[in-house]
Amino acid sequence: MKHLISSNQFTKEYLEELFGLIKDIKNDEKKYSKILDGKLVTTLFYEPSTRTRLSFEAAAQRLGAKIISTENAKEMSSAMKGESLKDTIRVTAGYADAIVIRHSDNDSAEVASSVSTVPIINAGSGSKEHPTQALLDMYTIKESKGNIDGIKVAVLGDLLYGRTVHSLIKLLALYNDVTIYGLSRETFKLPEEYINYLNDKNVKYVPCSSFEELPSDIDVLYHTRTQTERFVDKSGAKVEEFILNKEVLDRFSKQTIVMHPLPRNKEISEDVDSDERALYFKQAHNGMYTRMGILAKILGE
Ligand code: NCD
């Protein structure tokens, strides 16, 4: 695989192989510490990020690669001077062996890959895709549950603009007998195109409007933040509904895990953090190992 642009490009076999590699890296990191010696990775972030950029940079360095970075490319790069994304990529591709990019345009990673001579890795494009997040989410589910076939997953919150959800459900659809519940306000419901995608893949999708409609033995509660930055009219966007606190969580099974791509606002209360079912910080930590696996596969020999 050269570019990593979309969740669409994966097969179940690829995922399972990647999960094996991530597990091995977690168990024996030293073995991989020099595999990207002499490589240089660029991180080009036009949107805010903590976890994604830092975990990619940590991942690259832990594999022996070096990093050059613009953390605020929107204002600190030549984009401010009117340079097109294509021109920026044409130039930076000459400096590095791979480009990790986050950008607010839905087609930014595709546009970048159309002119890049080195691999493009999509670290979030508009509201459409965040494939490396979906990979780390899937790895975390696999690590916790052992098996993804037959799983019941609820995605919560902003299903309209949440790119992590959009990329995750496509990867879940690669497995057998998966049911996805979507709990959101009417205004944030999952767009038709994703519902059709799930239908085509024989994944059952159940839209819901309250916690009570979710089965108490659900395997995964995957919450998300309202993506306020994607709203044209920001009034009313900040209303947090479906707050998951300890009391609500306790209505679910002891096996129900709680995930969130982070950052969170108020949709998961801090009283959930100490519950052993709360996996979001572990999930973020898995992000670094997942990105080590991704870089090893794309840039390794
Ligand atoms: C997510 C993103 O950027 O889409 N964050 C992340 O990469 N972990 C989720 C979000 O910003 O809400």
Side-chain angles (χ1 to χ4, degrees), residues 48 51-52 102 130 133 163-164 225 227 229-230 260-263 291:
R51 275 150 291 273
T52 307
R102 166 171 289 190
H130 196 346
Q133 177 73 42
R163 60 188 172 196
T164 68
R225 170 183 74 86
Q227 308 285 296
E229 67 273 34
R230 312 241 178 260
H260 192 302
L262 304 176
R291 286 162 178 141

Side-chain angles (χ1 to χ4, degrees), residues 129-190:
E129 284 272 10
H130 196 346
T132 69
Q133 177 73 42
L135 291 169
L136 78 91
D137 294 341
M138 292 294 282
Y139 177 76
T140 304
I141 297 173
K142 172 92 181 176
E143 183 180 60
S144 164
K145 296 285 170 193
N147 203 355
I148 299 173
D149 290 320
I151 207 165
K152 292 194 287 252
V153 178
V155 286
L156 284 69
D158 188 347
L159 311 183
L160 175 62
Y161 293 113
R163 60 188 172 196
T164 68
V165 166
H166 299 160
S167 285
L168 176 62
I169 58 179
K170 289 183 189 166
L171 295 190
L172 286 168
L174 294 172
Y175 286 79
N176 301 323
D177 192 24
V178 169
T179 309
I180 299 177
Y181 296 80
L183 174 55
S184 72
R185 274 204 269 169
E186 180 63 22
T187 38
F188 293 136
K189 66 180 193 211
L190 192 66

Side-chain angles (χ1 to χ4, degrees), residues 1 63-64 106 110-111 123 129-130 141 153 174 192 204 249:
M1 179 186 307
L63 296 173
N106 286 343
E110 261 160 349
V111 168
E129 284 272 10
H130 196 346
I141 297 173
V153 178
L174 294 172
E192 208 63 40
K204 194 170 166 209
L249 180 59

Side-chain angles (χ1 to χ4, degrees), residues 13-301:
E13 291 65 39
Y14 184 95
L15 257 57
E16 291 295 324
E17 196 193 310
L18 177 67
F19 296 160
L21 174 62
I22 298 165
K23 188 173 173 195
D24 200 51
I25 293 172
K26 267 187 102 167
N27 286 338
D28 190 4
E29 203 192 309
K30 277 223 152 56
K31 198 165 91 191
Y32 296 88
S33 66
K34 293 196 166 45
I35 64 161
L36 296 189
D37 253 2
K39 303 278 188 198
L40 185 61
V41 175
T42 300
T43 52
L44 195 57
F45 277 59
Y46 292 81
E47 283 192 331
S49 170
T50 304
R51 275 150 291 273
T52 307
R53 187 174 63 84
L54 291 180
S55 65
F56 259 116
E57 295 186 359
Q61 299 201 46
R62 281 169 182 258
L63 296 173
K66 293 195 171 75
I67 284 279
I68 51 173
S69 177
T70 57
E71 61 179 291
N72 182 2
K74 201 169 165 190
E75 284 164 21
M76 301 301 284
S77 77
S78 287
M80 256 326 242
K81 302 182 189 169
E83 186 171 56
S84 71
L85 177 61
K86 277 187 178 170
D87 279 359
T88 303
I89 297 295
R90 283 185 179 109
V91 174
T92 45
Y95 303 154
D97 299 294
I99 298 171
V100 180
I101 180 170
R102 166 171 289 190
H103 196 284
S104 55
D105 288 352
N106 286 343
D107 64 352
S108 49
E110 261 160 349
V111 168
S113 69
S114 72
V115 295
S116 181
T117 50
V118 299
I120 294 291
I121 301 176
N122 184 0
S125 49
S127 62
K128 273 271 192 234
E129 284 272 10
H130 196 346
T132 69
Q133 177 73 42
L135 291 169
L136 78 91
D137 294 341
M138 292 294 282
Y139 177 76
T140 304
I141 297 173
K142 172 92 181 176
E143 183 180 60
S144 164
K145 296 285 170 193
N147 203 355
I148 299 173
D149 290 320
I151 207 165
K152 292 194 287 252
V153 178
V155 286
L156 284 69
D158 188 347
L159 311 183
L160 175 62
Y161 293 113
R163 60 188 172 196
T164 68
V165 166
H166 299 160
S167 285
L168 176 62
I169 58 179
K170 289 183 189 166
L171 295 190
L172 286 168
L174 294 172
Y175 286 79
N176 301 323
D177 192 24
V178 169
T179 309
I180 299 177
Y181 296 80
L183 174 55
S184 72
R185 274 204 269 169
E186 180 63 22
T187 38
F188 293 136
K189 66 180 193 211
L190 192 66
E192 208 63 40
E193 64 172 294
Y194 298 102
I195 298 179
N196 294 338
Y197 185 95
L198 294 176
N199 281 339
D200 287 346
K201 306 275 173 194
N202 286 322
V203 177
K204 194 170 166 209
Y205 181 71
V206 188
C208 300
S209 54
S210 74
F211 275 112
E212 284 69 32
E213 290 169 56
L214 302 176
S216 61
D217 66 345
I218 196 140
D219 294 290
V220 182
L221 294 170
Y222 185 98
H223 219 325
T224 61
R225 170 183 74 86
T226 306
Q227 308 285 296
T228 329
E229 67 273 34
R230 312 241 178 260
F231 285 67
V232 182
D233 172 11
K234 295 196 192 305
S235 62
K238 207 81 196 140
V239 187
E240 266 120 1
E241 266 177 295
F242 311 116
I243 292 178
L244 182 66
N245 57 28
K246 182 82 171 106
E247 194 191 327
V248 174
L249 180 59
D250 283 342
R251 290 189 225 142
F252 291 92
S253 149
K254 287 274 168 251
Q255 266 66 54
T256 300
I257 60 170
V258 182
M259 296 177 67
H260 192 302
L262 304 176
R264 75 172 144 184
N265 289 332
K266 294 201 170 61
E267 61 277 356
I268 299 181
S269 310
E270 278 192 37
D271 65 358
V272 172
D273 295 0
S274 56
D275 193 294
E276 59 186 16
R277 293 169 287 181
L279 291 196
Y280 29 92
F281 294 118
K282 206 169 164 189
Q283 178 187 353
H285 193 194
N286 278 340
M288 183 182 75
Y289 296 111
T290 302
R291 286 162 178 141
M292 287 172 83
I294 291 165
L295 290 171
K297 267 177 120 23
I298 293 179
L299 283 180
E301 291 313 318

